[in-house]
Amino acid sequence: MRERYRVNARVGMRLARGWSQRQVAEMWSERWPADPKSDKAISYWELWPGPTGYEPSLTVLGRLAELYECHIVDLLADGPDHRSGDGAHRAHAALAPLAGESDEGAVEKAAEQVAALEVHEIAAAVTRWTARLGEGRRGPILKLSAALSLAATLPDDAEPEPEPASPGPDYTGVWRSRYLYTSSSRGPQQGEHYVVLRQDGPRLLGQSLPHTTGSRLELTLTISGMVASGTWSEKTSPTGHYRGAEYHGTLQLLVNPSGREMAGRWVGFGKNFKVNTGEWDLTWVDHAVSQRVVREYHMRL
């Protein structure tokens, strides 16, 4: 798409999906409801590095790559490439054809040609090839002979494909998060958020929905059996007791067999770098994460 329509990598990846800028903005807002975007934001990122565009941050590029299901590097493929100045890269590029990294079709064709030759014909071909290298041609022949002998002793790489693993529980949905902590000046306190969890394999990515106080919470968890472990971060209310302070730490929860409750403890740093801990639980509310459903939980806490 980039070559056909002469567009940059960000536009090309979107066109390859057949999406408009508005569709990308809607999918972004649905996946990250606490950080909604408009089609104008998508346009600014696509116009970059032009003078009318805005430079996307690493976080933005990572989220776009998640939407387009590509590598983050694919979104910067039109950027400058200075690898030619690196000797190691040049050496690797020169050896790529010998390693079979250039064109699988060409490698298969060469293998068919070798299979059709007699041994003395192969020897003559190798002799002609090494003659082009000039003096000291015995060395390349010995190396090639040793490599072929070693390759003949190696087991075949072909292995039966493993049977696909049965999918585990899907924890994607809206959850109610509640944690307990003790304030040095106010005593026991409780924090609550509605959080959208999205599952990607064993990983759970959580982001809180808009809160009446402006507090924002993010979770990154990994599911292993009936245990969810990971990290949390919160930016507190800008007008509250902690005045927009940012806190972060670790979290470990036990998953209820029903798959609709998780309970455990958090650990994090408080004031004066004191390590604090407290209870934390997540309770399932709704499996749907469409914009219509998610909006119902905006500003409810």
Side-chain angles (χ1 to χ4, degrees):
M1 301 298 287
R2 183 163 58 91
E3 294 174 357
R4 173 182 290 185
Y5 297 107
R6 299 182 180 277
V7 295
N8 64 42
R10 272 87 53 212
V11 177
M13 291 303 297
R14 175 174 59 79
L15 294 179
R17 288 287 181 178
W19 295 338
S20 66
Q21 292 176 341
R22 180 178 296 276
Q23 287 175 303
V24 174
E26 289 175 351
M27 286 183 284
W28 175 296
S29 300
E30 181 179 333
R31 184 163 298 192
W32 298 286
D35 185 26
K37 298 297 179 186
S38 65
D39 53 345
K40 185 172 291 188
I42 307 300
S43 175
Y44 284 144
W45 294 329
E46 291 185 351
L47 289 172
W48 176 81
T52 58
Y54 293 164
E55 180 178 356
S57 66
L58 188 60
T59 299
V60 166
L61 290 171
R63 289 184 173 181
L64 288 176
E66 186 174 336
L67 289 176
Y68 298 146
E69 296 181 344
C70 68
H71 196 292
I72 192 172
V73 175
D74 296 332
L75 298 173
L76 301 170
D78 54 324
D81 186 353
H82 302 288
R83 290 178 296 174
S84 59
D86 178 28
H89 173 75
R90 292 198 301 271
H92 183 273
L95 292 174
L98 295 177
E101 298 179 9
S102 54
D103 184 354
E104 292 184 4
V107 174
E108 292 179 0
K109 186 176 181 180
E112 293 175 356
Q113 292 175 344
V114 171
L117 296 175
E118 299 293 338
V119 174
H120 67 277
E121 294 174 324
I122 297 176
V126 173
T127 300
R128 289 193 297 271
W129 171 65
T130 54
R132 299 176 185 175
L133 301 179
E135 298 180 0
R137 62 187 185 181
R138 187 174 181 81
I141 294 178
L142 291 176
K143 288 183 179 180
L144 181 60
S145 176
L148 291 175
S149 299
L150 178 60
T153 64
L154 296 176
D156 192 349
D157 288 338
E159 297 180 357
E161 294 187 1
E163 295 183 1
S166 57
D170 186 1
Y171 300 102
T172 298
V174 179
W175 295 68
R176 184 162 180 159
S177 168
R178 183 186 69 96
Y179 62 85
L180 304 180
Y181 67 100
T182 300
S183 169
S184 58
S185 59
R186 299 179 298 159
Q189 300 291 318
Q190 174 175 290
E192 287 188 275
H193 299 80
Y194 279 111
V195 177
V196 174
L197 288 184
R198 294 186 182 274
Q199 186 161 354
D200 181 11
R203 297 184 68 218
L204 285 177
L205 303 177
Q207 189 174 51
S208 64
L209 297 175
H211 197 284
T212 56
T213 66
S215 170
R216 290 184 297 172
L217 177 70
E218 291 191 357
L219 303 174
T220 302
L221 303 172
T222 299
I223 297 289
S224 178
M226 303 304 291
V227 178
S229 304
T231 60
W232 61 271
S233 63
E234 180 183 3
K235 186 169 184 179
T236 62
S237 169
T239 58
H241 180 77
Y242 296 102
R243 298 184 180 180
E246 294 187 21
Y247 294 96
H248 56 86
T250 59
L251 176 66
Q252 190 164 60
L253 307 169
L254 291 177
V255 183
N256 187 284
S258 67
R260 297 195 173 191
E261 292 182 351
M262 305 183 192
R265 298 189 70 84
W266 61 269
V267 176
F269 287 100
K271 293 183 178 180
N272 301 321
F273 298 99
K274 180 182 179 181
V275 178
N276 297 319
T277 184
E279 297 180 8
W280 197 317
D281 59 70
L282 294 170
T283 305
W284 177 86
V285 177
D286 201 312
H287 70 277
V289 289
S290 65
Q291 283 186 304
R292 180 186 61 80
V293 172
V294 166
R295 275 196 294 267
E296 295 179 4
Y297 298 95
H298 283 204
M299 302 296 180
R300 287 180 58 176
L301 290 174

